[in-house]
Amino acid sequence: MTVATAMKVTPLTPAIGAEITGVDLSGTPTGSDIAAIHRALLDHLVIVIRDQKLTPPEQIAFTKHWGSLVRRIATDFLHPEYPDVLVLSNRVVDGKPAGATEAYAGFTWHADLTYAERPSLGSMLHALEVPEEGGDTAFANMYRAYETLPEAMRRKIDTLRALHIRDRRKNPRAQITKKEGFVHDIDKYFDIPAPDSVHPIVRTHPETGRKALFVNPRFAVAIENMPDEEAQPLLDELFEHQKRPEFTYRHKWRLGDLVFWDNRCTIHLACGGIKPPGIRTLHRTSIAGDVPF
Ligand SMILES: O=C(O)CCC(=O)C(=O)O
């Protein structure tokens, strides 16, 4: 017997984002629910599935519908029992941070793992604790960013490739200004070596076939075969363009939200500004992706 689903998909802005209600992911979502969620992700790029209460194994099981999970290189803040889950939290326990915070994770616009040969397909954050004010996450549509560039610029960047690196210390656009009370040793994280990667500046989404701008100021630092005097102003122009408000959605977290974004055609930003004594705790899972083309 097939049971009619009550799932409802409602766009959040004209450019990006949709809210999904009427689905419970804690059990075993049906094949048609998964197909509808997948369709919504491809159509809206970021989906906000409301009112979930997922244990780490349930979030992992749901994430696996899209592929294998990728783990963070540094083991700090991985869930002690379920290392496929990264804990993001501004809670401090015995003087130590209980999770990665936006003081250093996510505060520069980025897509996940673009320094890797195979950047992440998509990632999910599930809200377990939310503050009254602050801690929003912003997303921007990189199809729109590409499509709204002047034609001459599109032609120019269509064949270019950019170098993406993980080490923030080598990226002047992604420097950390240490916040008061911030105790975590961030250098330790960047001392773990990771290979850099070169990716097309314009990538073709492997499922939709659409072209998306594929650079971000957190990881892209140079352009292949282009002197810096020319490359840096070009990157600056692209970085400025890609975060235009008309391409973006700013998510204010509600308890139980599961936000799932497509890293192949979006960038995102931790907006910060959690107002004390507000606590934000999110569980994050991320899916392995393909080599961009
Ligand atoms: O903390 C946030 O709001 C965003 C976190 C982030 O950038 C990420 O999970 O990749």
Side-chain angles (χ1 to χ4, degrees), residues 86 88 100-102 105-108 110-113 123-125 135-139 251 253 261 263 268-272 280 282 284-286:
L86 170 68
L88 299 188
T101 76
E102 88 282 355
F107 75 90
T108 307
H110 65 288
D112 296 321
L113 306 184
S123 305
M124 301 185 193
L125 286 172
D136 300 352
T137 309
F139 298 88
H251 183 65
W253 288 94
W261 63 92
N263 278 308
H268 61 280
L269 174 76
C271 301
R280 190 185 75 151
L282 309 172
R284 181 186 199 279
T285 43
S286 195

